[in-house]
Amino acid sequence: LCGMLNSFVQDFLMRHKMSRNINNFHINGQPIPRFDKNNLLHQKLFKNSVMLICTTDEYAKLRDEVGVSKCVTDPAKRMVLEAQINAYTAKIYGLTIEELEYVLESFSSEVKKLKDLTLDEFSLI
């Protein structure tokens, strides 16, 4: 859920539903697909999220429970994982490459590298 809610797709959807402040009404109204443990994209999104979140020893037990042996702290590697999460989320929502490009155009040029990596990852899926 954390990975999906932090994706470009969810950010885009949220910005187009609200005017100023986010509250529980907005979050509860988001169309979030139910996690499917048999879906490879859902599994990858989940594992990437764990690798981004569980970066200290206090999360070692959680990493073990979900079968993730490493955490990622290197900024370049973290960006690749974020791009994959964005690409997986777009695929889970059934977006085409054109629709994903439209979503990405709505974000500032400051995240150009992440947007480019997201498109690259999307093309590989």
Side-chain angles (χ1 to χ4, degrees), residues 17-75:
K17 284 188 171 187
M18 54 174 253
S19 58
R20 282 201 133 152
N21 300 315
I22 296 175
N23 59 37
N24 282 340
F25 173 78
H26 294 107
I27 293 170
N28 290 335
Q30 285 295 92
I32 299 174
R34 184 172 298 277
F35 180 74
D36 179 359
K37 66 181 179 182
N38 298 316
N39 183 310
L40 186 59
L41 292 175
H42 287 235
Q43 292 173 16
K44 289 179 178 183
L45 191 152
F46 177 66
K47 288 200 175 188
N48 282 13
S49 298
V50 170
M51 286 189 280
L52 289 173
I53 294 168
C54 300
T55 59
T56 61
D57 290 339
E58 66 187 303
Y59 293 106
K61 183 179 176 186
L62 177 59
R63 282 195 308 264
D64 291 344
E65 285 178 17
V66 297
V68 172
S69 60
K70 64 178 180 172
C71 63
V72 178
T73 57
D74 176 76

Side-chain angles (χ1 to χ4, degrees), residues 58-123:
E58 66 187 303
Y59 293 106
K61 183 179 176 186
L62 177 59
R63 282 195 308 264
D64 291 344
E65 285 178 17
V66 297
V68 172
S69 60
K70 64 178 180 172
C71 63
V72 178
T73 57
D74 176 76
K77 291 178 182 176
R78 289 178 67 82
M79 186 178 287
V80 170
L81 290 175
E82 288 178 50
Q84 290 172 349
I85 287 171
N86 285 314
Y88 301 151
T89 301
K91 283 286 186 175
I92 289 168
Y93 276 97
L95 271 62
T96 64
I97 189 74
E98 293 81 13
E99 291 167 331
L100 179 57
E101 287 171 344
Y102 178 78
V103 167
L104 296 176
E105 286 174 8
S106 72
F107 291 87
S108 73
S109 60
E110 293 175 13
V111 291
K112 182 177 180 356
K113 184 170 181 167
L114 181 56
K115 294 189 314 186
D116 291 344
L117 280 171
T118 298
L119 287 172
D120 293 344
E121 292 293 337
F122 187 85
S123 299

